[in-house]
Amino acid sequence: MIPGCRAMGLFLVLLALFQSLPVAVDAWQARHWPDTAVEWLRLSLLPGALWLYLRYFSILGCRRCGDDDELR
């Protein structure tokens, strides 16, 4: 992946996470679902943003698992 594209992708994923996490925490603490459509939209970003972050940007995501193409 091109470094500039990787940085922009990380920025967009973190932006989605920072938009959705406060809504999720507020809904969890208040023990009721969001009231507006905008809050629902922000909350719906959470699963996808978390998956993208864990898969492509965190140290838990294994981008080279199963690559045994190296000569030994």
Side-chain angles (χ1 to χ4, degrees), residues 51-67:
W51 180 80
L52 286 172
Y53 177 75
L54 289 174
R55 173 68 175 95
Y56 293 106
F57 299 108
S58 78
I59 61 170
L60 300 175
C62 185
R63 291 178 288 281
R64 294 186 184 162
C65 290
D67 286 345

Side-chain angles (χ1 to χ4, degrees), residues 1 3-19 49 52-53 57:
M1 183 181 269
C5 289
R6 184 171 174 80
M8 182 57 99
L10 179 61
F11 172 75
L12 292 174
V13 167
L14 289 178
L15 181 66
L17 279 174
F18 290 141
Q19 287 295 314
L52 286 172
Y53 177 75
F57 299 108

Side-chain angles (χ1 to χ4, degrees), residues 30-44:
R31 293 187 180 171
H32 67 82
W33 294 106
D35 297 327
T36 64
V38 173
E39 288 179 345
W40 275 105
L41 180 67
R42 289 172 59 191
L43 187 62
S44 68

Side-chain angles (χ1 to χ4, degrees), residues 16-34:
L17 279 174
F18 290 141
Q19 287 295 314
S20 60
L21 279 176
V23 176
V25 169
D26 288 342
W28 180 46
Q29 288 178 346
R31 293 187 180 171
H32 67 82
W33 294 106

